[in-house]
Amino acid sequence: MEQHVDVQHEDENPPAEPTEPSRRMSRRQALTLISMASVNFSSMICYSILGPFFPAEAVKKGASQTVIGLIFGCYAVCNLIGSLVLGRYIVQIGAKFMLIAGLFVSSGCTIMFGLLDRVPSGPAFIALCFIVRSIDAVGFAGAMTSSFAMTAKIFPDNVATVLGSLEIFTGLGLILGPPVGGWFYQSFGYEVPFMLLGCLLLVMVPFNIYVLPSIEADPSKDSFFHLLGHVKVVLICYAIFTLSAGLGFLDATLSLFAINKFNLSPGYVGLIMLGLSLPYCLASPLMGYITDKYASSRMVFMVTGAVITASGFCLLGPAPFLNISGPLWLLVVMLGLIGFSLGMTAIPTFPEIITYAYDQGFEEGLSTLGMVSGLFGAFWSLGMFYGPTVGGLITQHLSFEWAATVQGGLAFLAAFFLCVYSLCHTPRQQRNREDRQTDENTPLLNE
């Protein structure tokens, strides 16, 4: 109790002392927002330019649909490993250094990927695609893991709102990447999109060195295994997995499906992909604000979003057992529905895991935030590996329609598991939280 008394005495000091930290914190938050927005935008636009034209270009270089899926998938595997390792040691490495180093590595790999058209077709081209994408994935893992952790550290009371707002820039990167990449590819060839966007990412490095604040923290003794020992965390991670699996599946297969079925050019395919990213971009800030203001609604949003995602994937093809035609307008509408539902499901997951971890006694600080961020990135990457790999196999041996239906089934399972858990555990958790608050408040009031 002595520690509480000391804190209270410090709060009774003259107002001149707390106002200075308040001003510093406000400036720190503003600089962090600028930095995170630039990281989200530049990273995602470089990531998303491959969708409209790379699969077709890889086919010309001798890669099959399965190999193309593996090229997309290897990025996710290395991202998974990088997220776990870097998330665990974010305090030792330094959050700011990790982010800047990740940006630098990603920019170099993006430029190098633009030179792969000069490589001979066949095994040489395929091997270099795997190598460059793998290194790029580790850099991307460092940038995004530190980005999430620093955002949650500096905005502890508005995590979902800030992340949802930053997803505007993520969505802008996803929106601009496919059409810009497809247009530059049609106008100037394979190399120009990667060169321009790689240089854009490189410019972000000195900008963030100047803008990004430094954060110091002590390492924690908690581990990923301790965090994954809780059923709720596992179920939320599975929901994250299904979301990224669907996105990875669309990245690897949608362009070829649209080109073959509707005879579209890569530029038009990029415009179709706007139907996925634009609703996500618009929905994310709203979902973040609501789930921050009404934290108890997070599970409801996750379940509802997963159900809508499942329905969207089943109608995307559409599913063969529905026996309905699949015109272009239905494809665009379902992509928009999936994009909106992704915001409903994805935005609440990160703050919900953080809140639950703190409730279970994890230390409040950058170390725990780094672990949660790394766990989020790992399961997201696991889905990004599963989606293009398994989706590519199903598409090659069956059809795109069946592959999309499988993705819808995964999302439906996530909704079912989360719904069952919420019905069984939410009343008990609310009672425990009320009891804990009563136990904490009573001695203080007595004193």
Side-chain angles (χ1 to χ4, degrees):
M1 298 303 300
E2 292 182 358
Q3 293 179 354
H4 291 285
V5 175
D6 291 339
V7 173
Q8 292 175 355
H9 284 308
E10 289 175 3
D11 293 338
E12 294 174 359
N13 289 337
E17 294 187 2
T19 54
E20 187 177 355
S22 178
R23 287 198 300 268
R24 279 205 302 267
M25 195 61 184
S26 176
R27 180 174 179 271
R28 191 188 203 190
Q29 290 178 343
L31 293 176
T32 302
L33 279 176
I34 295 172
S35 177
M36 297 303 108
S38 68
V39 170
N40 285 17
F41 175 76
S42 56
S43 297
M44 295 312 299
I45 194 173
C46 290
Y47 170 80
S48 62
I49 60 173
L50 273 70
F53 62 89
F54 177 75
E57 190 72 20
V59 168
K60 296 178 185 178
K61 288 286 191 177
S64 65
Q65 178 69 65
T66 302
V67 171
I68 295 172
L70 289 172
I71 291 174
F72 279 90
C74 80
Y75 183 95
V77 171
C78 295
N79 203 317
L80 185 155
I81 298 172
S83 296
L84 290 176
V85 175
L86 297 175
R88 179 64 181 85
Y89 296 101
I90 186 172
V91 174
Q92 291 86 341
I93 297 173
K96 180 176 180 178
F97 176 80
M98 184 186 294
L99 189 147
I100 293 170
L103 285 178
F104 182 77
V105 171
S106 294
S107 65
C109 289
T110 302
I111 295 173
M112 291 178 62
F113 208 83
L115 301 175
L116 294 182
D117 66 323
R118 304 185 182 186
V119 177
S121 302
F125 172 80
I126 295 173
L128 286 175
C129 284
F130 278 110
I131 294 172
V132 176
R133 287 286 285 175
S134 298
I135 299 174
D136 188 15
V138 176
F140 186 82
M144 298 311 295
T145 298
S146 57
S147 173
F148 281 159
M150 294 179 70
T151 301
K153 174 66 176 178
I154 298 178
F155 299 92
D157 299 323
N158 307 98
V159 177
T161 301
V162 174
L163 289 179
S165 301
L166 290 175
E167 287 304 299
I168 294 177
F169 298 92
T170 300
L172 285 175
L174 292 173
I175 288 171
L176 295 177
V180 168
W183 184 80
F184 274 116
Y185 172 76
Q186 279 188 303
S187 303
F188 304 104
Y190 177 83
E191 296 182 3
V192 174
F194 294 100
M195 296 296 176
L196 289 178
L197 297 179
C199 290
L200 172 65
L201 199 62
L202 190 61
V203 170
M204 294 296 104
V205 173
F207 173 75
N208 281 281
I209 291 176
Y210 174 74
V211 168
L212 194 66
S214 298
I215 297 178
E216 296 182 359
D218 296 324
S220 172
K221 296 180 180 180
D222 295 313
S223 65
F224 287 108
F225 298 105
H226 185 196
L227 194 59
L228 284 173
H230 301 277
V231 176
K232 183 176 183 179
V233 175
V234 173
L235 294 180
I236 295 177
C237 288
Y238 174 71
I240 295 169
F241 162 80
T242 61
L243 297 177
S244 59
L247 286 177
F249 162 73
L250 293 175
D251 281 340
T253 60
L254 180 62
S255 62
L256 290 177
F257 171 74
I259 290 172
N260 294 332
K261 183 173 182 178
F262 303 108
N263 297 319
L264 300 177
S265 66
Y268 281 107
V269 173
L271 291 176
I272 288 177
M273 288 184 173
L274 288 176
L276 178 68
S277 52
L278 186 59
Y280 175 77
C281 177
L282 297 176
S284 294
L286 177 62
M287 299 303 165
Y289 174 77
I290 295 175
T291 54
D292 261 341
K293 189 172 183 180
Y294 307 100
S296 59
S297 66
R298 290 172 185 164
M299 294 294 286
V300 176
F301 274 91
M302 283 188 272
V303 172
T304 306
V307 171
I308 297 175
T309 301
S311 304
F313 272 108
C314 288
L315 292 172
L316 189 64
F321 56 80
L322 296 177
N323 294 321
I324 59 176
S325 61
L328 181 60
W329 68 265
L330 181 63
L331 177 70
V332 175
V333 171
M334 289 303 104
L335 285 175
L337 194 66
I338 292 171
F340 182 82
S341 63
L342 286 177
M344 292 185 67
T345 309
I347 296 301
T349 56
F350 189 69
E352 184 66 15
I353 296 177
I354 293 174
T355 302
Y356 184 79
Y358 289 160
D359 288 343
Q360 298 304 312
F362 283 75
E363 297 179 9
E364 297 189 17
L366 183 62
S367 183
T368 297
L369 295 174
M371 281 197 300
V372 174
S373 181
L375 194 66
F376 182 95
F379 276 87
W380 187 271
S381 301
L382 185 62
M384 293 298 289
F385 171 76
Y386 172 90
T389 304
V390 178
L393 285 171
I394 298 175
T395 301
Q396 183 173 350
H397 295 287
L398 292 176
S399 65
F400 175 87
E401 290 82 358
W402 276 115
T405 304
V406 171
Q407 298 298 328
L410 294 176
F412 177 79
L413 284 177
F416 175 77
F417 291 144
L418 288 172
C419 183
V420 171
Y421 179 88
S422 297
L423 293 175
C424 295
H425 292 269
T426 298
R428 185 188 309 169
Q429 289 178 352
Q430 289 177 348
R431 288 196 301 269
N432 293 338
R433 189 170 299 176
E434 290 174 359
D435 294 340
R436 185 167 60 251
Q437 289 176 349
T438 302
D439 293 340
E440 291 175 354
N441 291 335
T442 301
L444 294 176
L445 291 174
N446 289 339
E447 280 196 358

